Each structure stands twice: as structure tokens, then as C-alpha cells.
Amino acid sequence: MSNKPEGAARVGIGGPVGSGKTALVEQVIPRFARRGTRLAVITNDLVTKEDAERLKRSGLIDPERVVAVEAGACPHTVIREDPTLNLDAAEMLELKFSPLDLVLLESGGDNLASTFSLELVDYWMFVIDVAGGGDIPRKRGPGVLQSDLLIINKSDLAPHVGVDLEQMIAEAEAVRGGKPVIVTNCRTGEGVDTIIDHVARDVLFDT
Amino acid sequence: MGDSSFPSGGFAFSWGLETLKADGIVCDRSGVEAFARSQLRWRWATADRPFLHRAATASDVVELAGLDCEVEVMTLARELREGSRRAGRSLLRAHGSMETPGVSAYRSAMADGNALGHLPVAQGVVWKGMGMAIDEIEAVSAYAVAAGIAQAAVRLALLGPLDAQSMLSALREDMEAVLVEKPPERPFAFTPAAEIAVMRHECGDARLFAN
């Protein structure tokens, strides 16, 4: 389409520790591959290179297309106050694998206050999960409120952790003022196609 | 220019301190201070400073590219070498966006694969472009080394935040001392403990920082 900007789009994936960010990345990679989206991934592992290594070994993507950027113990800083090292990594990936359509940036596990700078990403999603507590949307953290896409993961666990999923979704929709909320189970892939549809329409402009 | 909140990626580098702490070699304020002193005296003053000087007085991009090559071959530890390039590129990226004079030609050479953008060279280019005099450039660069180490030490829980400020004050004398000395004719660095730590960092478990 004529309004498609030059260069790869950058999409951020943030959210608390253990909410399923890496599992989500593992689910979206083959879906993007099938639709012909040329992809690279940057991870901001907080303590180790574990997430980057997991993706590199996954067999889902050329390991050279996965880069870890260290956060200097500051997971917020590297995606918000000073995203230059992530921008540098994105530029290096674009030079090496030109042309790329999309660079995914997976934040290190963080808390509800984390947000991405729009100097770094064009669009970002925030992943929470039902096991983290059904009251998370009510807490109105900046990640829940400001993200372009809110993902409620591990939907299958709701009955086991005493969470009313319907109420959690309703509260998330209420605090987000109409911005989309998507329910997923990243272990099975349920709900992930809807995420791809949103990114394709709102970021890649190629639906 | 030396403001730690200026977005140029400095927060992600410990220049060996993370591993020195993990190995129990640096474990308190006196250890951090000794580390900072050795970095100032035996790396910054003897290697970074001459390159900074030559970058700020270089006549063209070809000369800058030559300085980059010298830094590259002089820097043995991989994560020090890559850290210097990443930090330099980040500083140049920020100043490229701000249209600081002199930066775009150098960045074009980097994009073409003709220059590497090592940190002291980048600092010389950028700060000269900002209209700073060489003594100001040197002072800011030396301060950035000390401040970067102080902040990394706080995040590694080696120092409290007030202790870090008091250490920075104590280091002012050291900075002044190296700044009034004449830089060496030929650049060199000698910080073996830090360099070995950076080499060990490549395969170590401690990975909060890039080096």
C-alpha cells in the first residue's frame, strides 16, 4: 500500500515476569513466516541470555535473526528512557537481513509500570496472565492502560486459580477505553491468530 | 553532555565490574574506587584520551576511520571492543537525530562499512560538533567513565546511591590529576584484571550488563 513507511516496523512486547512473552513470540514467529513477513527478534533478557537462547534453539527462526540486548539491570530504561541500544540492534539486523518487514522487541520480565517509548517502537503489546491475578486490569497500570494491544494469556488456568475470566476481560475493556483486549493460551496457540490480524492491519498495512 | 540521562546507552555497560563482583574480587566501596581509578588512569588517560584528542582535531572522515582501526586492534577483549563500538554508535545515533555538525558524514562512512564508530572517536566528533573546547571534551569524557562506573556499582549493589556520589567527589582529584598530565605519545592501556574479567564475562552467568 502507498502509505507503508520505509524500513521494518518495530513492535514491542512487554509484561510481567512469567506472563508468557517468550511463549507468545514462539507462537507468532511461524504465523508471520507463513504469511511471508520477514522477521527478526530482539530480546532484552534481564539477567541472562535465556530467552534469546530459547528462541535461537527453537528451530522456528534463523538463530542469526535473534539478538539479545542487555538491560544493565534497568528493564524500563532500555525500552523507554534510553532505547538507543535497542535501536542500534534493530538497525544492525536491518542492515544484515535487508529487507525486513518486522522487528519484534521482547522486553525483559518487568512490572505493571513498564511502557515502550514511541521513539523505539511503532506499536506495542502488553502481556498479562490470569494466574497473575484477576485484579490486574483494575490496578490500571500504565502497561495495561497505554499498550496498543492488551493480551490476557493462560486463559485455560482461570478455573484453577479462582479467576472469573469474563469479569477480568470486561474490566480490562472498561479501563482501556475501547482499545483491543485479546485472550490467548500461548501453550496451544488459541487466540494468537487475532494478534497477527491486528499487527498485519495496524502495523504492516498489508491485510 | 555528561548528563547520565542523555540517551546513549551507557547504563548497560559495566566494563568488567559485573564479573569482578561475581568473582568476589571487588566487593565494597574501596574496591569500586580502585577499579574506577585504574580505569581512569590506565585506560581512559592513556588510550581514550589520545584518541579523543585526535578525533576532535581530525581533518576528515578517512582520518577518523583510521583512528577507529587503531582502537579496534588495540582492544583485546571482545566485549570491550564491541562495547566501545555499541556505545559509540549509540552516541552518534542520538546526535545524528539532533543534527550535530560533523556526525552525518561519519555515520555515512559507518553505514558503508568504512568506519567503526568507537566510543572515544565518536565522543571527539560529537562534542567538537557541539562546539566544545578540547579541555571540556576531555573533562566530560573522564567524568562519564567515573559516573558510569558509579552507576553500575549502585545497580550491582556494591554501593549505596549516596556512597556513589561521595565516591564521585573523591575521584575528582584523580580526574584533575590525569587531565593536567600530558597524554602519552602512543596510546596504550594496562588494566589486566578488568580485561580478564571482561573476557570471562563472555561466557559467565552474570549478564545484567553488556560487559
Side-chain angles (χ1 to χ4, degrees), chain A residues 9-91:
Chain A
R10 295 190 294 264
V11 169
I13 301 174
V17 179
S19 61
K21 295 179 295 300
T22 308
L24 173 64
V25 174
E26 287 170 337
Q27 287 287 353
V28 300
I29 288 172
R31 286 171 170 80
F32 279 123
R34 276 200 294 277
R35 63 190 301 289
T37 306
R38 291 159 297 191
L39 183 74
V41 182
I42 297 170
T43 66
N44 291 166
D45 285 299
L46 190 54
V47 184
T48 62
K49 283 192 173 178
E50 193 159 317
D51 290 345
E53 294 304 326
R54 176 171 154 189
L55 291 174
K56 283 179 194 231
R57 283 195 299 261
S58 67
L60 298 168
I61 185 168
D62 171 5
E64 295 272 298
R65 288 178 181 248
V66 180
V67 169
V69 170
E70 303 82 356
C74 301
H76 287 163
T77 308
V78 76
I79 60 166
R80 189 174 59 205
E81 286 83 354
D82 183 356
T84 42
L85 292 173
N86 274 326
L87 287 167
D88 181 59
E91 191 174 281

Side-chain angles (χ1 to χ4, degrees), chain B residues 42-62:
Chain B
W42 300 112
R43 188 172 65 86
W44 183 82
T46 57
D48 291 6
R49 186 184 181 198
F51 285 115
L52 200 60
H53 211 282
R54 285 160 65 188
T57 53
S59 50
D60 57 24
V61 172
V62 177

Side-chain angles (χ1 to χ4, degrees), chain A residues 130-134 154 157-164:
Chain A
V130 295
K154 306 188 189 177
L157 294 185
H160 307 293
V161 292
V163 166
D164 181 339

Side-chain angles (χ1 to χ4, degrees), chain A residues 108-130:
Chain A
D110 205 342
N111 59 39
L112 298 180
S114 87
T115 55
F116 279 85
S117 163
L118 293 182
E119 289 184 16
L120 175 61
V121 297
D122 304 293
Y123 183 95
W124 61 284
M125 49 189 102
F126 197 71
V127 185
I128 58 174
D129 74 282
V130 295

Side-chain angles (χ1 to χ4, degrees), chain A residues 103-202:
Chain A
V103 176
L104 292 177
L105 290 114
E106 183 193 340
S107 163
D110 205 342
N111 59 39
L112 298 180
S114 87
T115 55
F116 279 85
S117 163
L118 293 182
E119 289 184 16
L120 175 61
V121 297
D122 304 293
Y123 183 95
W124 61 284
M125 49 189 102
F126 197 71
V127 185
I128 58 174
D129 74 282
V130 295
D135 56 347
I136 288 183
R138 274 204 304 278
K139 292 181 178 169
R140 297 169 163 266
V144 169
L145 296 185
Q146 293 171 25
S147 55
D148 295 294
L149 208 58
L150 178 70
I151 293 159
I152 302 179
N153 190 29
K154 306 188 189 177
S155 56
D156 56 318
L157 294 185
H160 307 293
V161 292
V163 166
D164 181 339
L165 184 59
E166 293 310 315
Q167 188 187 339
M168 189 176 178
I169 297 165
E171 287 177 352
E173 284 172 343
V175 299
R176 282 174 53 78
K179 281 191 287 184
V181 176
I182 295 173
V183 179
T184 59
N185 174 354
C186 287
R187 284 180 69 92
T188 62
E190 195 186 322
V192 178
D193 286 338
T194 318
I195 298 174
I196 305 290
D197 292 343
H198 275 272
V199 173
R201 190 192 65 209
D202 298 340

